[in-house]
Structure formats: C-alpha cells, structure tokens
Amino acid sequence: MQWHMLDLQPGQRWDVFCRVVDNFGDVGVCWRLCSALAARGQAVRLWIDDASALAWMAPLGAPGVQVQPWAGALQADHPGDVVVEAFGCHLPDAYIARMAAQPVAPVWINLEYLSAEAYVDRCHGLRSPQFNGPGAGLDKWFFYPGFTPATGGLLQHPPAPKAADASAWLAQRGWAPAAGERAVLLFGYASPALEWLLAALAGLSMRQPTLLWVPQGPLQAQLAGLPLPHGLRLQPLPWLALADFDWLLAAADLKLVRGEDSFVRAQLLGAGPVLWQIYPQDDGAHAPKLDAWLDHSLAGSPPGLAAAVRQAHHVANGLAPGPLQLPDLAAWRAQHLAWQTGLHARADLAIQLLAFASSRRARKSG
Ligand code: TRH
C-alpha cells in the first residue's frame, strides 16, 4: 500500500522502527504500539529487522499497520509525520537525512524501555537537539513509559477480555482447569529458581491441585526435564497470538511473566497476582529496576504482605537464596487488584504519545 492511500485515513503518518535484540519483547511492544495507534485512526508503517515472530504473534495483522523490512526504509519515499525509534535502535542515516530535508521536520521520538525507577520521571519528555551527523538541526524527544503521572504511561491496548470469554476460549482448546483446580501461568526464562517455585506451588496444591500453563520458551524445555511434584499438572502450549495470550493472563490465578510486554499485560489483565521474572542484565541493573517496581506496586500494602511479595521476587530472580515462599494468595490478589485499578485510571501510552507528538508538531510549525 502506498502512502497516498493511507493519506485517506484521518490522523497522521507514523513510522515506527524496531530492531529485535532478542526474545519477543521488542517486537511485542512495537506491534502493540502500532496497532494501538492504527486503532486511533493513524496510518502506521512498522520498519523491523526481523518480523518472523509476527507470523504467530499477529497472524491476521492489523488494519492500518504496514509491516516493512528495515532495509526498505533506505528507499522510503518520504518519512512519516512522526517517527518512533524504539529502544534507541538507531535509524538508518539515509532516512535521518531525509527527515532533515523535509520542509517541516517529522517529530522524532525515542521510545524507551519501561522502568519504575525515579530517573524516568525526570527524563520523560526531554529534548535532545542533534548537533552532528545527518540529523544535525533536528530535535529528538525522549518518551518514557512508566507507572507515574509524570511518565508516558502503559500501553493499554487492546482492552482486557472478559473472564467468561477467557474460560470459553480455554474450554474450546481443552486447556481449562478441571473443577477445583487452580491455574498458574509460567512464562519465564530458564532459571535455577524454577525448582523452588515448583516446590512452592506443590505446597499450595496440597490444598488445591494446580494446572500449569507453560507457553513456548526455555522454561517449557527446562520443565520437560524435571520431575513434576505431586499435585501439579502440566499443560504445555503452542505459540499463541498476542490476543490469545491475553486469555491466559485474564484467566490465571497466578502469573509468572517476564521481560516487558507480558509483564505489563499481566498487571493490566485478570485477578491473578504477578510474579515478575525480570530480564537479567550483565551489569546487575535489573536488581534496582525490580526493587523500584516493587516499591511502587507495594506502596500502602500491609507490611507482612509487602515483605513476602518482595522476598518471593528476590528468590525467583536469583537475588536471594531459596527456598521460595509464595505470599498468601488471597492477600496478594487484593494487592494486585488495587494496583491494577490505579493503572487503569492512568492515561494510555498511545493516547499520551499522540498528544505529545501533536504538541511537538505544533511547536515546530508555530
Ligand atoms: O520475550 P521477552 O523476554 O522480551 C524482552 C526482550 O527480549 C528485550 O530484549 C528485553 O529488553 C525486554 O524483554 C525487557 O518478554 P516480553 O517482553 O514479555 O515479550 C514476550 C512477548 O511474546 C509478549 O508480548 C507475549 C508474547 N507471546 C505471545 O504472544 N504468544 C506466545 O505464545 C508467547 C510464548 C509469547
């Protein structure tokens, strides 16, 4: 599809650039952003260096979103009105030069990784004037997702599915919990703490048996090689579309999630509390990042519960020795639901990004 056809749609033309570093978070976040913008009448091109995961994440695509190979941007006729550089992925020089040559320069936004750390409040919305290179004279703007009103918020698209619809979807596939069974989603990285987690879940299943939904990934492979404690039943899953992954998040009684996109979705969807396996970084930067999120999400919780949730996260992430003890599930669920209500009350990231881009554009042409 050519740009002039997209011009028929209301809204602006967006170019979103994504490089897949590893795993699926980069593509998951970028796809969710593109489809959220398109759902609000924007015409979006997603320039991506490896679109292979989209074959199962978004097999039907999304109206208004064109997926383009990264290299195609070198020949792009003219840049979008708004250009999003996801996670500092470095736009091609030739494309930047074309941005600089426009009579009205596009709004150039660097979308950062999510963090609850304090620097995010300070850095969100900052301008970075470009003094050198093909973009000299342009401004780049930093846009930070986050949990506070001073940040760009979280992507809340699409809206949460209903629990009853999730149950029906699971039943159709034969993945529904049996009567009286608890359902736990285990979407994580391979981890030495997995055995502690299984032991903790087995402890819970003395009162109520537990079904483990295990999506594709290294944890599924690791689980296949471990003896499963009594009371736990394993349901390995195939690759699922993002929209289908939501059913699991909506229905689970407890959710181990990882990275960024499943972590955000798990907080927004369903009543089951969240155990976050954070993306580990060689320099240890994940430890303060995890604690910053715990500080925010546990603020105001009963001290005993807060300590138990924090300890479970530290053990699950290899930041404290085992064994892993799961917090009381009813109290944890109440804390999760209170946190979730607060998140739903905040402005969606796509809406904030639209407003931000419009204000920068007005400033440019004004
Ligand atoms: O895959 P992740 O670990 O992703 C990332 C990236 O690797 C990135 O480099 C890193 O910086 C970032 O973490 C912090 O976890 P995440 O973010 O949860 O992404 C997984 C996505 O895959 C999520 O959108 C859910 C989706 N998914 C499905 O839609 N269906 C599936 O069947 C599976 C297994 C995953």
Side-chain angles (χ1 to χ4, degrees), residues 136-175:
L138 295 177
D139 285 333
K140 177 149 76 166
W141 300 91
F142 285 91
F143 193 94
Y144 282 80
F147 298 94
T148 69
T151 68
L154 301 175
L155 275 170
Q156 307 219 16
H157 176 85
K162 294 197 179 76
D165 294 341
S167 304
W169 183 87
L170 287 160
Q172 273 168 17
R173 278 152 191 82
W175 300 335

Side-chain angles (χ1 to χ4, degrees), residues 70-96:
W70 181 278
L74 300 174
Q75 284 93 45
D77 44 1
H78 78 84
D81 303 314
V82 188
V83 176
V84 177
E85 179 177 349
F87 315 126
C89 65
H90 299 298
L91 306 184
D93 278 356
Y95 182 91
I96 298 176

Side-chain angles (χ1 to χ4, degrees), residues 21-26 28-29 32 56-57 113 187 189 215-217 238-243 245 258-263 279 289:
V21 178
D22 60 3
N23 302 335
F24 313 118
D26 307 294
V29 171
R32 198 178 291 290
W56 49 267
M57 258 190 199
Y113 284 113
F187 178 51
Y189 310 111
Q216 290 286 318
W239 293 111
L240 296 171
L242 270 179
F245 202 79
R258 70 185 205 192
E260 181 163 325
D261 190 57
S262 61
F263 165 60
Y279 182 81
K289 185 170 169 176

Side-chain angles (χ1 to χ4, degrees), residues 269-284:
L269 268 54
V274 176
L275 183 60
W276 183 25
Q277 195 183 14
I278 190 169
Y279 182 81
Q281 286 169 267
D282 291 341
D283 59 1

